[in-house]
Amino acid sequence: MAAEATAALAQFASALKLDDIPQRTREYTKNILLDTLACAIAGHQGDETQQVAALATALGHSQESSIIGGAGLSLAGATMLNGYLITAVTMCDIHRSTLTHVTPEVIPPALAIAERDNLSGGDLLLAIALGCEITTRVGLGLNYPEARKRGWHGPGVIGPFGSAAAVGRLIGLDKIKMAKAYALAGSQSAGTFAAWGTPTVKFHQCRGALSGLMAALLAQQDFLATQEFLTHKDGGLYNTYSDGGTPQAALDQLGTRWELEQIALRLWPSASTIQGFITAMFDLVEKNDLKPAQVKKVAVKMSKVAVDMHGIFPRYKGKFDALLSTHYAAAVILHDRELTLGQFEPARYDDPALRKFAAENVDVTIDPALTGVQAIAEAHTTDGKTLTMRCDHPRGSAENPLTRAQIEAKFRTYAKARLPAANVEAVINAVNRLEDFASARELMQLLRAGKQA
């Protein structure tokens, strides 16, 4: 390599200008931002949100930083709580190559600093794009499949780097201090799949946001740290969390190919790995006009990874299990023909008929020919037919992206319950013209609901 990965990524982050980012990438970054805001507002309905809100409040008693769809907290508290809100109801983004939710780590600290310093929408857009790009690039260099074998969970491990990059760019860190920010972020990298099946996996994300914020603010003070954290032989991220990684992958076509465009968004709440199945299930039901009375059995085929993670909840216990459950998703899509947070309220998922159908009439099996999020949904009907639908690229993926209109509709669906109607439209308009929007502080004021989570 021409340069060590930490130094090269630090140089890139400190020098990047908004004009360096192609218009297509800017527009996708706006999609990511608006989708993230929708997820955060929906996150007020999360079962554990109040617990994280209590923690965030305890981090500081000032209220200068806005909560998306809420009131205000300290800089640290808002970063923590907004990070949790984004992921609270299992509806945010996913970078599939690293199994990493990127936005909960990157966007909250960027919003908080841009609001604090009253920076422009263009400054905010640049920081978010940069943070997303650095997170995904660091993840590519990690050789994530090898890191996953060791149990590491991406958001808490690589997320702090993107958070540090976004904040570092907003506060004007040079390449030396940016490299220090990466080292300080990496010194806080943590989070494993031992937490899978519990809300702790979501805590990895908001803690990663706070770690990156602290890293950048400490680097601003010129705190002494290594300049080569990623590839350091003794304890560097790539050598400790993986097998030495593939540092060249982090730098390949840096600045010309934007990895952030591979970040997938979700139209529906539910785990990211089963979005392919959910797409197939909706296509199956809608294109065949299926009614529950016509279906004896739903057969779902997915990859081993997907089945191991999401085929294990035929008798889900509560909301969190239901959000992860292929069995429940199949049952409720067939019965309701929709999948919003309304389908994940106790009044719906505790319905005896749905519970019975999910446990007894949905089969989930491994198909060795399927990989990643690929899925096949079959309906075995009462008249002896077998109807089949396959999905290779779920709605919201890079290959099958959501439109801005779909994302705006998602934002309206959840924002209307917490924001005045005029604010909802004003936020959409602000994001659509973010380069020309004068004040990030004004955007955050539009997102305040006037009451705490």
Side-chain angles (χ1 to χ4, degrees):
M1 290 188 301
E4 193 275 333
T6 311
L9 292 175
Q11 169 65 31
F12 174 73
S14 63
L16 187 69
K17 297 179 176 62
L18 187 60
D19 288 343
D20 297 331
I21 303 175
Q23 189 63 38
R24 185 183 78 170
T25 309
R26 291 193 217 174
E27 293 303 317
Y28 196 69
T29 303
K30 294 178 192 177
N31 286 354
I32 290 172
L33 174 57
L34 187 60
D35 184 83
T36 299
L37 297 176
C39 294
I41 290 176
H44 287 275
Q45 300 179 49
D47 284 353
E48 305 83 22
T49 294
Q50 291 295 341
Q51 294 168 291
V52 179
L55 168 63
T57 301
L59 291 174
H61 294 286
S62 57
Q63 296 186 340
E64 71 274 14
S65 298
S66 297
I67 302 303
I68 301 166
L73 284 176
S74 67
L75 183 66
T79 295
M80 173 71 74
L81 183 52
N82 281 333
Y84 194 84
L85 287 171
I86 292 165
T87 190
V89 291
T90 317
M91 200 162 60
C92 67
D93 70 289
I94 182 74
H95 181 242
R96 298 195 190 281
S97 298
T98 57
L99 294 180
T100 295
H101 305 295
V102 176
T103 58
E105 302 95 89
V106 170
I107 291 182
L111 292 175
I113 292 296
E115 179 182 23
R116 185 196 71 174
D117 297 344
N118 199 23
L119 300 174
S120 70
D123 293 329
L124 179 61
L125 181 60
L126 171 60
I128 291 172
L130 177 63
C132 291
E133 189 69 10
I134 292 298
T135 302
T136 54
R137 289 280 178 170
V138 170
L140 292 179
L142 182 63
N143 184 16
Y144 189 74
E146 181 62 34
R148 175 64 186 91
K149 291 178 185 177
R150 302 177 185 211
W152 295 111
H153 184 223
V157 173
I158 64 177
F161 291 91
S163 172
V167 173
R169 191 68 185 83
L170 288 169
I171 62 178
L173 296 188
D174 62 23
K175 64 181 181 180
I176 301 299
K177 290 183 178 180
M178 188 70 77
K180 291 179 178 179
Y182 292 161
L184 290 161
S187 294
Q188 302 172 77
S189 289
T192 74
F193 271 89
W196 182 250
T198 76
T200 301
V201 296
K202 303 174 187 177
F203 177 71
H204 294 168
Q205 280 115 250
C206 62
R207 196 272 310 155
L210 183 59
S211 294
L213 173 68
M214 292 191 294
L217 293 179
L218 192 53
Q220 187 180 31
Q221 302 305 315
D222 210 16
F223 195 84
L224 187 61
T226 179
Q227 299 290 294
E228 55 172 351
F229 184 86
L230 292 174
T231 58
H232 199 288
K233 292 182 179 179
D234 187 8
L237 190 81
Y238 293 163
N239 289 311
T240 302
Y241 292 70
S242 186
D243 57 356
T246 53
Q248 68 278 4
L251 307 182
D252 182 44
Q253 300 180 71
L254 182 64
T256 58
R257 183 187 63 79
W258 290 84
E259 183 64 22
L260 72 84
E261 294 181 7
Q262 297 303 309
I263 295 173
L265 305 179
R266 277 187 266 191
L267 194 56
W268 309 286
S270 278
S272 60
T273 307
I274 60 172
Q275 295 293 303
F277 151 69
I278 292 171
T279 300
M281 190 70 196
F282 268 109
D283 288 345
L284 183 68
V285 169
E286 292 169 356
K287 292 181 180 180
N288 293 285
D289 195 23
L290 279 179
K291 307 294 191 299
Q294 297 174 270
V295 180
K296 293 191 302 182
K297 183 83 67 175
V298 174
V300 181
K301 300 175 183 178
M302 300 187 297
S303 68
K304 184 179 187 304
V305 169
V307 173
D308 287 348
M309 295 175 71
H310 302 291
I312 58 175
F313 302 103
R315 300 183 186 277
Y316 50 89
K317 296 176 183 177
K319 179 184 289 189
F320 188 66
D321 283 3
L323 284 163
L324 300 179
S325 174
T326 303
H327 293 80
Y328 177 67
V332 79
I333 292 169
L334 176 62
H335 285 76
D336 292 4
R337 292 196 176 203
E338 61 180 332
L339 196 64
T340 69
L341 287 181
Q343 276 67 47
F344 294 98
E345 291 301 318
R348 194 64 193 116
Y349 65 70
D350 278 338
D351 178 83
L354 271 183
R355 281 193 172 273
K356 180 178 173 63
F357 192 96
E360 299 178 7
N361 298 85
V362 179
D363 291 335
V364 180
T365 59
I366 296 169
D367 185 334
L370 300 177
T371 60
V373 297
Q374 292 177 327
I376 297 171
E378 294 179 347
H380 299 274
T381 65
T382 54
D383 61 359
K385 296 179 181 177
T386 299
L387 306 173
T388 302
M389 196 65 62
R390 176 185 173 118
C391 175
D392 290 313
H393 303 296
R395 299 178 201 178
S397 66
E399 300 84 0
N400 186 14
L402 301 183
T403 65
R404 181 71 57 81
Q406 286 175 309
I407 298 169
E408 290 176 358
K410 178 179 174 180
F411 180 76
R412 290 187 180 99
T413 295
Y414 296 107
K416 65 184 179 183
R418 296 195 71 88
L419 302 180
N423 286 33
V424 172
E425 296 308 313
V427 169
I428 291 172
N429 290 334
V431 173
N432 284 339
R433 59 184 183 91
L434 195 57
E435 298 99 326
D436 303 316
F437 198 72
S439 171
R441 186 175 294 168
E442 181 181 343
L443 172 62
M444 297 310 293
Q445 288 298 315
L446 289 170
L447 286 162
R448 283 200 180 208
K451 60 180 179 178
Q452 192 61 45

